[in-house]
Amino acid sequence: FAQAAPFKIGLILPMTGQQATTGRQIEAAARLWMAQNGDTVAGRKVELIVKDDTSLPDVTRRLAQELVVNDKVDVLAGMGITPSAMAVAPIATQSKTPLVVMAAATSSITEASPFIVRTSFTLPQVSVALADWAPKNGIKSVVTLVSDYGPGIDAEKYFAERFQFNGGKIADKLRVPLRNPDFAPFLQKVRDLKPDALFVFVPSGAGAAVMKQFGERGMDKAGIKLIATGDVTDDDQLNDMGDVALGVVTSHHYSAAHPSAANKKFVEAFQKANKNLRPNFMAVGGYDGMRVIYEALKKTGGKGGGEALVAGMKGQVFESPRGPVFIDAQTRDIVQNVYLRKVEKKDGQLWNVEFDVLKDVKDPGKTK
Ligand code: DHB
């Protein structure tokens, strides 16, 4: 009898350029998922097609079009940055192809197509926790510094609104370009304003540069604390950031140091398969994205189909390496714990050590 056609996942990632670590982490995690769970699901052989969009949204769009029209993929996935996800959303809608967003984290992405399901996080989701923590910990004035695009604008807005609601003062809001940012003039301005703390969001891969210049300009010695979303103390780079990172408090949904059995197993297997590379939050978004696709395909009994697959993705509840999560059936966005963490040295390595948790946080950016 006829062999069932392969089930194709078109995974579009930035494998080169400024966001290359995102691609490297997610591809490695997707391959780890398949190595651990097999490449046959409900009688269908799963085929992963990886494409490099160099994080240019026009390229992401063209690749998505080719994957849908020529390769006839069953699912699109990846999306290293917000502009890439937004560029592909209309293709997902028109072709009724599920688009599993594993990295990009602007709140509004899931509203751009009913075929989008997200397994990463949103900046509003993680920023609010820090704005509650800061004023209770001696931080009364803050300057915000964010990358000037979707996730940065979300982080700035949700951090500032909540911090001001809590009685804090925002001394200034600074935005740096996404491409090739020079942080020096902005940090000089922060030094002059001398707030209690600087709040930062930059995307994965850019945190080390911020940390380095923060140290070189003697900001910490001038009495200015650094607080940030966990994108800045990215586990992909953290261990090479040096002692300037020690004590930095961040909020985020994943730390490689998350103390659960599931995470220990994940980190160990990931490092073993990838020359000891430490998985970051991007890897977890990719790993969980594969889980969501596999489970949805099982629910359709191997039949697939865009609408049936999205229906099978909605409402999934499972334990991720990050902790317990679920895919909200209304918003198709991920609901998860948000952790407060502090950078500490353990056995000679730097880790984001979790010290508090807000459970089951929905994206506060959703209007509906
Ligand atoms: C986005 C990209 C990142 O690397 C990150 O850490 C957060 C958000 C984005 O473009 O949406």
Side-chain angles (χ1 to χ4, degrees):
F1 71 110
Q3 185 85 30
F7 183 85
K8 295 183 185 173
I9 303 172
L11 183 61
I12 310 177
L13 295 167
M15 302 304 301
T16 53
Q18 195 172 290
Q19 254 67 43
T21 60
T22 296
R24 173 177 66 165
Q25 288 271 351
I26 293 179
E27 182 183 6
R31 296 206 186 280
L32 176 63
W33 174 272
M34 291 182 73
Q36 291 175 332
N37 295 277
D39 64 357
T40 304
V41 179
R44 300 279 296 273
K45 178 121 177 132
V46 178
E47 203 179 290
L48 195 65
I49 307 173
V50 180
K51 299 281 183 189
D52 176 14
D53 69 2
T54 71
S55 87
L56 294 174
D58 287 340
V59 179
T60 325
R61 184 189 294 109
R62 177 174 58 74
L63 291 172
Q65 196 80 48
E66 289 171 6
L67 284 165
V68 166
V69 174
N70 301 341
D71 297 290
K72 308 210 166 14
V73 294
D74 296 279
V75 174
L76 289 164
M79 308 295 119
I81 56 170
T82 290
S84 296
M86 293 313 248
V88 174
I91 296 170
T93 304
Q94 280 151 29
S95 65
K96 299 192 194 302
T97 308
L99 171 58
V100 178
V101 173
M102 297 168 161
T106 300
S107 173
S108 61
I109 287 172
T110 44
E111 292 167 319
S113 168
F115 286 87
I116 290 180
V117 173
R118 174 156 43 197
T119 58
S120 53
F121 70 108
T122 81
L123 269 305
Q125 191 175 43
V126 299
S127 299
V128 164
L130 197 59
D132 283 340
W133 176 86
K136 289 187 227 145
N137 289 275
I139 295 170
K140 305 293 177 204
S141 63
V142 165
V143 172
T144 61
L145 175 66
V146 302
S147 290
D148 190 7
Y149 77 122
I153 291 161
D154 269 0
E156 175 194 278
K157 177 171 189 275
Y158 282 84
F159 178 87
E161 279 179 8
R162 183 66 152 250
F163 186 63
Q164 286 168 322
F165 174 83
N166 288 331
K169 184 173 163 291
I170 298 290
D172 207 349
K173 295 177 179 172
L174 308 176
R175 294 180 182 178
V176 297
L178 171 62
R179 311 270 171 201
N180 307 310
D182 175 11
F183 299 106
F186 296 96
L187 291 177
Q188 188 54 49
K189 181 135 197 234
V190 176
R191 243 199 108 127
D192 296 340
L193 288 164
K194 220 177 171 316
D196 294 329
L198 172 65
F199 166 80
V200 179
F201 163 81
V202 291
S204 184
V210 174
M211 199 66 79
K212 184 163 178 278
Q213 294 194 25
F214 189 86
E216 280 171 4
R217 306 211 144 241
M219 309 285 287
D220 44 349
K221 289 180 190 77
I224 302 166
K225 287 197 181 71
L226 178 62
I227 56 175
T229 64
D231 310 74
V232 175
T233 56
D234 186 344
D235 272 306
D236 186 84
Q237 299 186 319
L238 178 62
N239 214 12
D240 298 322
M241 288 186 192
D243 286 356
V244 63
L246 282 173
V248 171
V249 170
T250 58
S251 55
H252 227 209
H253 56 293
Y254 178 68
S255 164
H258 180 62
S260 71
N263 186 50
K264 287 204 179 96
K265 218 176 118 207
F266 169 72
V267 173
E268 234 178 72
F270 188 96
Q271 293 202 295
K272 194 158 172 237
N274 296 285
K275 301 195 177 96
N276 220 30
L277 176 67
R278 189 192 288 183
N280 70 359
F281 60 101
M282 293 302 186
V284 168
Y287 191 74
D288 291 346
M290 291 297 286
R291 194 261 182 213
V292 164
I293 296 167
Y294 268 44
E295 283 307 307
L297 181 56
K298 278 185 203 163
K299 283 189 197 165
T300 70
K303 282 219 292 288
E307 270 151 2
L309 286 169
V310 170
M313 292 178 188
K314 289 179 181 177
Q316 284 191 31
V317 182
F318 57 98
E319 195 193 347
S320 157
R322 67 188 103 178
V325 301
F326 76 92
I327 305 298
D328 187 320
Q330 253 68 55
T331 62
R332 291 163 278 100
D333 220 333
I334 190 161
V335 179
Q336 57 193 332
N337 294 346
V338 173
Y339 306 89
L340 285 158
R341 312 98 51 84
K342 183 186 261 180
V343 177
E344 290 178 15
K345 199 178 260 180
K346 289 197 169 166
D347 301 329
Q349 293 198 39
L350 298 180
W351 297 96
N352 291 298
V353 177
E354 296 168 357
F355 64 85
D356 203 358
V357 56
L358 272 92
K359 294 210 165 136
D360 302 328
V361 181
K362 284 192 176 194
D363 173 30
K366 292 294 176 297
T367 48
K368 307 174 206 112

